[in-house]
Amino acid sequence: GSVLPSAIHFHMSTEEVEWFNRYKKSLATYMRSVGGEEGLDLTQDIKPPKSLYIEVRCLKDYGEFEIDDVPTVLRKKNSQHFLPRWKCEQLIRQGVLEHVLS
């Protein structure tokens, strides 16, 4: 990840801190370069996801949603969709979608 617990950071040498800061910048640059417009947050999940697609419910009307391999989806309040996880994560954080757990 890009954040270290203070107990670990406290015991690091100057060279280790410099290396870690370069690593954070490199990781951030890479994550912005993949995953479309929003980027891909590799630090979000502690465990790898079991599925690349998730079921989501729209919490409010939000217009059309285009994905390369999926037909255009109209996001209307209370509609449910099975969509790629990486395209939904930002909208879940924004409160537009919610992950439907089965």
Side-chain angles (χ1 to χ4, degrees):
S2 59
V3 178
L4 286 177
S6 58
I8 293 174
H9 192 271
F10 177 75
H11 294 289
M12 291 172 65
S13 69
T14 303
E15 293 81 13
E16 289 171 321
V17 171
E18 289 173 8
W19 179 90
F20 186 72
N21 287 334
R22 287 191 308 273
Y23 165 77
K24 285 192 318 187
K25 288 179 186 176
S26 178
L27 179 62
T29 300
Y30 176 73
M31 290 190 304
R32 280 191 304 270
S33 73
V34 296
E37 292 177 16
E38 298 88 26
L40 176 65
D41 188 355
L42 297 174
T43 65
Q44 183 172 352
D45 296 317
I46 294 174
K47 294 181 182 178
K50 292 181 181 181
S51 172
L52 296 178
Y53 285 75
I54 60 173
E55 188 173 359
V56 293
R57 178 181 301 114
C58 296
L59 299 176
K60 53 184 157 185
D61 291 344
Y62 203 72
E64 292 185 351
F65 188 51
E66 290 189 34
I67 305 172
D68 298 337
D69 59 342
V70 176
T72 301
V73 174
L74 184 60
R75 293 170 294 182
K76 292 189 65 122
K77 186 174 182 174
N78 294 323
S79 63
Q80 288 190 204
H81 310 279
F82 195 63
L83 300 170
R85 175 185 297 273
W86 69 274
K87 288 295 270 185
C88 298
E89 290 171 343
Q90 185 71 23
L91 293 171
I92 291 170
R93 285 193 291 273
Q94 292 174 0
V96 174
L97 301 175
E98 72 175 341
H99 185 182
V100 177
L101 302 172
S102 13

